Amino acid sequence: MKLRLWITTLVVACLPFAVNAADIEAGKAKAAVCAACHGANGYAAIPTYPHLAGQNPAYIELSLKAYKSGQRTGGQAAIMAGMAAPLSDDDIKNLAAYFGSLK
């Protein structure tokens, strides 16, 4: 159990380095679809939707992958699963980098 926690921590700690290689401009282009709920600049106008601007890129990446794989449930998971389904791993990295770059 401790080994699993250690490995998970190591993987999460390394994700920001992988996100640095992402294409922020490509993420911005993909983010147009996200704007309907999360706002044009990552600030949601509707309180039930989270702001994505300035969010930790590793968290966004892990969340999108969890939605895509069906591991994340509850809340808006059904909607987010549909939104994440067509995204490639590169798309997810680029989106995470773009939202993480916003103030």
Side-chain angles (χ1 to χ4, degrees), residues 22-91:
D23 184 342
I24 291 174
E25 288 303 313
K28 183 178 181 178
K30 282 279 182 188
V33 175
C34 308
C37 297
H38 298 287
N41 291 315
Y43 286 94
I46 301 169
T48 56
Y49 300 122
H51 301 306
L52 298 179
Q55 184 61 262
N56 182 322
Y59 175 77
I60 294 174
E61 186 173 347
L62 287 172
S63 294
L64 285 171
K65 287 181 177 182
Y67 283 126
K68 184 176 178 173
S69 69
Q71 292 176 332
R72 193 156 179 187
T73 60
Q76 300 293 325
I79 293 168
M80 284 303 300
M83 301 305 288
L87 298 175
S88 69
D89 285 347
D90 283 342
D91 292 337

Side-chain angles (χ1 to χ4, degrees), residues 3 7 29:
L3 179 61
I7 291 172

Side-chain angles (χ1 to χ4, degrees), residues 79-103:
I79 293 168
M80 284 303 300
M83 301 305 288
L87 298 175
S88 69
D89 285 347
D90 283 342
D91 292 337
I92 290 172
K93 282 183 181 183
N94 295 340
L95 281 166
Y98 168 66
F99 284 116
S101 74
L102 299 175
K103 300 293 178 205

